[in-house]
């Protein structure tokens, strides 16, 4: 695990400036506090910051082939590196380290650009082929590890985080107005955009080929589902559950590869409990677990029922990290690390648990991904319930959507009912109830920003879908859009940034690509039985987990941002939300922000998350555009509150 960065000049005879490369790598020190490495040669400069997890003694990067013609840096873990190493050794390759990353250069020598298909893990890779004068940037299938890049007039610049690219000085710090629109239309910046106009995210499952001063982006992996009528109906639900349990055992065991002790992040839900329960039987006891608690009882999952650490048979050494209102002071540091996820208030909670973990461990396994892989969110139940409604003509659907009870019991439901019948990007964003919509974006953004948006004309924010998408079951289509949008644009990025902000490697067994591909073959009616979400996972773990945990309804991680934004705000928030600061940044209309604040504080309306999004953008602008250094870092970190749970 680490941070990677680099420069590839358009002129293959030009070597990058080593001082520039070091400056870029220094911005990623939090991702790799254990060491650094550089490779500078005609046509390429690679920088590396190391968090030592595997091969502590000799696992430094960049790493080269025997003849030095192929050089690579990798952020992530290759879980099947031992099997790959054995095969490559039998083919005559010589290894100098026990590092998982060393298999990459030898695989490339064997298979060329197709080497990546052999890898099982989470990774972002930069590989330089000196003979071909070619650079490859590769991102893993699900996008667990990040890769950002910018094509300038004279070079390709890349890094694990946009801040590394900005440190090169080759990219102007200009906000991307369409990314800002997306934040308030959908709740996140949509890949491949970032908040910086000249910086792009490499999408999951894609690679960038840089050669001859030109960049080409191509897909090397995509998730596929059976056609709606082609699911396997001969395999019973019990058999699917048995197969899933076997795959989970294998996946979790692979994710334990490490030369340092591991931990697990534990909540009250079936996802993280499944990971912790399986880990507890595979590692020497006791397994250290970390759970987030809240001072606000309405958000505190530890009070809602027993967690896995309450059952002695699992031999868990449990810790609780407490989130309080004072932790709103973390928001500047959270935005500094998140960058594009300016409205990621949940990231405050993730940073707290990462910081608690960092006091004793370097690696933690988490339960993220199960909701996308098995259909665990509320919109999958809505999909089922609304099927008869969507069979009706639009005028009848409009009448149903107008019922007061719809708006009262399901905010946003009316917009879904009158939206498109077909599963696609528009119905998806309506279904998940993002922060706002296009009209909300136009309500808060400044006239200058809106003018720049309008000059570009309409832009389709939807990412391409596979040709067979229309033949899939709607449940599968929703899953694909979840993985390619919500997962890729916010969940894995937030998890990566907040864990790495405290030099913690977070691993996600549910996003192992073989498990994801296995789950894609499971029929929707097996994944969700009635309205029981993730039924097949619950069934698979029913003999292992206590029944109150295996069948507990999904709760989800939230922070009390609504109440936080109604109370006394920290000094930085008052400063950045003041009319003068809003006017100086030029992104929002001061009168619109004042109105939102007044209506929220008087409890006339609930605008807590919208205000937090505006504050996040203001923080981002102050940090990355205006260059203020006083709004992030250890000085903004409240004291950590961690306690052991009596065994």
């Amino acid at each position: 695990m680490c941070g990677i960065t680099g420069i590839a000049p358009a002129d293959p005879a030009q070597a990058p400036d080593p001082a520039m490369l070091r400056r870029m790598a220094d911005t990623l020190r939090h991702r790799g506090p254990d060491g650094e490495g550089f490779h500078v040669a005609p046509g390429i400069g690679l920088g590396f910051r190391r968090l030592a997890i595997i091969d502590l003694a000799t696992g430094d990067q960049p790493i080269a082939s025997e003849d030095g013609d192929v050089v690579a840096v990798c952020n992530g873990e290759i879980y099947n590196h031992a099997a790959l190493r054995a095969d490559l050794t039998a083919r005559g390759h010589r290894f100098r380290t026990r590092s998982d990353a060393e298999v990459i250069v030898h695989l490339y020598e064997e298979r060329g650009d197709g080497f990546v298909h052999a890898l099982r893990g989470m990774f972002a890779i930069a590989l330089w082929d000196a003979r071909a004068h070619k650079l490859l940037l590769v991102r893993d299938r699900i996008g667990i590890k990040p890769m950002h890049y910018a094509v300038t007039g004279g070079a390709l610049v890349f890094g694990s985080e946009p801040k590394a690219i900005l440190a090169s000085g080759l990219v102007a710090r200009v906000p991307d107005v369409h990314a800002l629109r997306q934040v308030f239309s959908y709740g996140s910046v949509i890949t491949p955009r970032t908040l910086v106009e000249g910086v792009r995210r490499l999408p999951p499952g894609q690679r960038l080929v840089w050669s001859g001063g030109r960049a080409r982006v191509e897909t090397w992996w995509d998730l596929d589902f059976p056609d709606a009528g082609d699911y396997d109906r001969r395999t019973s639900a019990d058999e699917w559950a048995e197969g899933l349990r076997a795959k989970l055992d294998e996946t979790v065991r692979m994710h334990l590869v490490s030369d340092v002790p591991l931990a697990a992040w534990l909540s009250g839900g079936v996802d993280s409990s499944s990971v912790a329960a399986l880990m507890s039987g595979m590692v020497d006891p006791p397994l250290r677990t970390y759970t987030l608690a809240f001072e606000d009882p309405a958000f505190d999952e530890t009070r809602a029922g027993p967690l896995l650490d309450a059952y002695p048979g699992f031999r868990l050494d449990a810790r609780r990290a407490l989130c309080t209102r004072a932790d709103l002071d973390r928001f500047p540091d959270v935005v500094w690390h998140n960058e594009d996820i300016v409205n990621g208030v949940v990231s405050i909670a993730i940073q707290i648990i990462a910081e608690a973990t960092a006091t004793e461990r370097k690696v933690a396994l988490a339960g993220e991904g199960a909701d996308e892989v098995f259909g665990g969110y509320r919109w999958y139940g809505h999909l089922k319930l609304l099927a008869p409604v969507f069979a009706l003509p639009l005028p009848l659907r409009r009448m149903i959507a107008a019922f007061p009870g719809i708006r009262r019991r399901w905010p946003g439901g009316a917009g879904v009912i009158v939206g498109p019948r077909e599963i696609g990007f528009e119905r998806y964003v309506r279904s998940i109830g993002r922060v706002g919509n296009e009209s909300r974006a136009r309500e808060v953004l400044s006239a200058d920003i809106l003018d720049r948006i309008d000059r570009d004309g309409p832009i389709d924010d939807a990412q391409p879908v596979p040709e067979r998408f229309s033949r899939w079951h709607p449940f599968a289509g929703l899953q694909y859009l979840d993985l390619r949008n919500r997962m890729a644009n916010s969940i894995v990025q937030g998890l990566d940034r907040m864990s790495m902000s405290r030099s913690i490697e977070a691993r996600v067994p549910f996003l192992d690509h073989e498990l994801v591909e296995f789950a894609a073959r499971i029929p929707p009616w097996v994944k969700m039985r009635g309205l029981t979400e993730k039924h097949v996972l619950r069934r698979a773990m029913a003999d292992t987990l206590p029944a109150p945990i295996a069948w507990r309804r999904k709760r989800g991680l939230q922070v009390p941002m609504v109440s936080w934004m109604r109370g006394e705000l920290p000094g930085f928030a008052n400063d950045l939300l003041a009319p003068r600061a809003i006017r100086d940044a030029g992104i929002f209309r001061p009168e619109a922000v004042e109105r939102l604040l007044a209506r929220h504080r008087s409890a006339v309306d609930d605008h807590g998350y919208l205000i937090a999004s505006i504050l996040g953008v203001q923080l981002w602008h102050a940090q990355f555009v205006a260059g203020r250094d006083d709004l992030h870092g250890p000085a903004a970190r409240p004291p950590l509150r961690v306690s052991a749970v009596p065994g």
Side-chain angles (χ1 to χ4, degrees):
M1 183 59 66
C2 62
I4 63 175
T5 190
I7 312 166
D11 180 357
Q14 179 187 349
D17 178 4
M20 180 189 294
L21 191 62
R22 178 173 292 277
R23 189 166 66 243
M24 294 166 65
D26 282 347
T27 67
L28 304 175
R29 187 176 295 269
H30 53 280
R31 299 185 71 92
D34 297 333
E36 64 182 14
F38 299 93
H39 174 79
V40 178
I44 191 64
L46 300 174
F48 176 75
R49 292 295 318 185
R50 187 183 186 204
L51 180 64
I53 303 295
I54 293 177
D55 188 8
L56 306 185
T58 64
D60 293 334
Q61 298 181 40
I63 200 155
S65 58
E66 297 99 316
D67 59 10
D69 284 339
V70 180
V71 186
V73 287
C74 173
N75 167 29
E77 300 291 355
I78 310 302
Y79 298 124
N80 63 334
H81 74 95
L84 293 171
R85 176 186 298 265
D87 178 67
L88 290 163
T89 300
R91 294 174 178 272
H93 292 267
R94 300 188 308 276
F95 285 79
R96 296 188 298 272
T97 75
R98 294 188 300 105
S99 165
D100 59 325
E102 193 172 2
V103 301
I104 293 168
V105 294
H106 298 292
L107 273 173
Y108 177 78
E109 290 179 310
E110 284 284 332
R111 307 189 185 188
D113 293 2
F115 78 93
V116 67
H117 293 283
L119 302 180
R120 188 171 178 183
M122 55 179 186
F123 49 83
I125 298 167
L127 182 145
W128 172 251
D129 183 336
R131 289 185 179 178
H133 297 288
K134 179 175 71 174
L135 174 68
L136 295 180
L137 302 182
V138 185
R139 194 173 181 198
D140 68 57
R141 297 165 178 86
I142 309 298
I144 306 168
K145 293 290 102 184
M147 177 66 80
H148 300 80
Y149 68 94
V151 178
T152 72
L156 172 77
V157 192
F158 67 90
S160 297
E161 300 176 11
K163 60 175 65 71
I165 296 172
L166 295 178
S168 71
L170 300 175
V171 178
R173 296 169 180 255
V174 177
D176 184 318
V177 296
H178 292 287
L180 289 168
R181 174 183 54 78
Q182 289 173 346
V183 167
F184 295 96
S185 295
Y186 312 123
S188 62
V189 179
I190 306 298
T191 302
R193 292 184 184 276
T194 73
L195 283 173
V196 181
E197 193 172 85
V199 179
R200 289 292 178 261
R201 281 184 283 190
L202 186 65
Q206 295 196 10
R207 63 179 162 230
L208 184 150
V209 183
W210 171 260
S211 181
R214 291 190 296 272
R216 181 180 77 255
V217 176
E218 56 193 26
T219 299
W220 68 270
W221 182 89
D222 204 356
L223 183 59
D224 194 19
F225 290 86
D227 288 354
D230 289 347
Y231 282 100
D232 177 1
R233 296 177 178 271
R234 293 172 296 180
T235 300
S236 68
D238 283 338
E239 289 171 327
W240 279 117
E242 290 170 8
L244 173 58
R245 174 55 191 270
K247 199 66 185 174
L248 274 172
D249 283 345
E250 177 206 24
T251 299
V252 170
R253 191 175 298 279
M254 290 191 75
H255 280 68
L256 302 182
V257 175
S258 175
D259 290 332
V260 299
L262 300 101
W265 288 352
L266 181 65
S267 70
V270 65
D271 309 342
S272 63
S273 297
S274 295
V275 172
L278 294 176
M279 284 181 71
S280 70
M282 298 175 183
V283 301
D284 293 334
L287 170 65
R288 182 68 53 83
T289 62
Y290 296 88
T291 298
L292 193 70
F294 287 87
E295 67 174 351
D296 186 335
F299 290 81
D300 188 9
E301 197 171 6
T302 67
R303 309 185 199 192
L307 272 62
L308 195 68
D309 55 32
Y311 297 85
F314 293 99
R315 299 176 294 177
L316 303 181
D317 182 9
R319 300 286 187 272
R320 295 283 190 273
L322 183 65
C323 179
T324 72
R325 193 180 189 285
D327 287 302
L328 183 55
D329 285 340
R330 292 177 176 271
F331 202 29
D333 193 54
V334 163
V335 171
W336 169 257
H337 287 287
N338 262 344
E339 294 183 84
D340 294 328
I341 313 179
V342 288
N343 57 352
V345 289
V346 170
S347 293
I348 293 173
I350 301 173
Q351 187 184 75
I352 291 170
I353 198 168
E355 192 169 312
T357 306
T359 62
E360 301 166 307
R361 295 289 188 270
K362 278 187 173 183
V363 181
L365 271 66
E368 270 80 359
D371 289 311
E372 289 79 11
V373 172
F374 300 108
Y377 293 117
R378 67 184 184 280
W379 41 90
Y380 292 93
H382 295 164
L383 180 73
K384 196 173 213 178
L385 291 172
L386 289 178
V389 175
F390 273 100
L392 300 174
L394 181 58
L396 285 178
R397 286 192 278 139
R398 285 177 174 152
M399 292 175 59
I400 294 171
F403 288 162
I406 294 287
R407 298 183 183 276
R408 184 174 63 252
R409 298 190 62 179
W410 180 15
V416 179
I417 291 171
V418 300
R421 277 197 176 99
E422 298 77 17
I423 296 297
F425 184 71
E426 183 181 346
R427 181 168 173 187
Y428 172 72
V429 295
R430 287 172 180 247
S431 296
I432 67 176
R434 284 300 199 182
V435 160
N437 50 43
E438 191 77 24
S439 62
R440 176 53 53 83
R442 302 193 73 86
E443 176 187 341
V444 298
L445 292 174
S446 70
D448 178 62
I449 295 292
L450 291 176
D451 182 61
R452 290 162 60 188
I453 289 171
D454 292 341
R455 282 202 304 265
D456 290 339
I459 290 179
D460 185 2
D461 296 315
Q463 298 177 74
V465 297
E467 289 184 9
R468 296 179 52 246
F469 183 86
S470 62
R471 290 153 54 185
W472 294 348
H473 191 286
F475 194 98
L478 204 55
Q479 284 193 278
Y480 183 90
L481 292 169
D482 249 345
L483 282 163
R484 282 295 181 245
N485 288 277
R486 194 170 187 274
M487 173 60 68
N489 296 328
S490 58
I491 293 178
V492 288
Q493 180 172 322
L495 180 66
D496 171 83
R497 299 298 176 79
M498 289 301 98
S499 59
M500 294 308 297
S501 79
R502 297 301 181 257
S503 304
I504 290 294
E505 175 176 290
R507 298 180 177 180
V508 278
F510 282 113
L511 294 180
D512 172 76
H513 82 274
E514 290 196 7
L515 176 63
V516 171
E517 290 173 342
F518 175 86
R521 304 199 309 269
I522 302 176
W525 53 89
V526 176
K527 290 175 182 169
M528 173 177 278
R529 184 172 181 179
L531 292 179
T532 302
E533 36 83 18
K534 294 180 291 195
H535 186 272
V536 67
L537 173 61
R538 300 175 187 280
R539 200 163 183 164
M541 295 300 299
D543 292 338
T544 300
L545 294 175
I549 294 175
W551 299 101
R552 182 176 291 158
R553 292 186 65 182
K554 176 178 175 59
R555 182 184 175 101
L557 176 63
Q558 293 181 317
V559 298
M561 187 55 67
V562 172
S563 62
W564 285 1
M565 287 293 161
R566 285 198 173 120
E568 184 178 350
L569 296 178
F572 75 85
N574 286 321
D575 290 346
L576 291 174
L577 292 175
R580 180 174 179 177
I582 296 289
R583 193 175 298 109
D584 288 346
I587 294 175
F588 302 108
R589 294 194 295 118
E591 65 276 14
V593 175
E594 280 191 288
R595 184 169 59 252
L596 289 170
L597 282 166
R599 294 182 68 83
H600 182 72
R601 286 169 174 167
S602 62
V604 173
D605 290 319
D606 177 359
H607 294 310
Y609 281 87
L610 177 58
I611 294 166
S613 298
I614 293 170
L615 177 58
V617 172
Q618 285 289 97
L619 277 165
W620 173 85
H621 185 273
Q623 292 167 348
F624 292 101
V625 180
R628 287 183 57 179
D629 294 328
D630 60 321
L631 288 172
H632 65 87
R637 189 183 305 175
L640 184 66
R641 305 166 182 85
V642 182
S643 59
V645 178

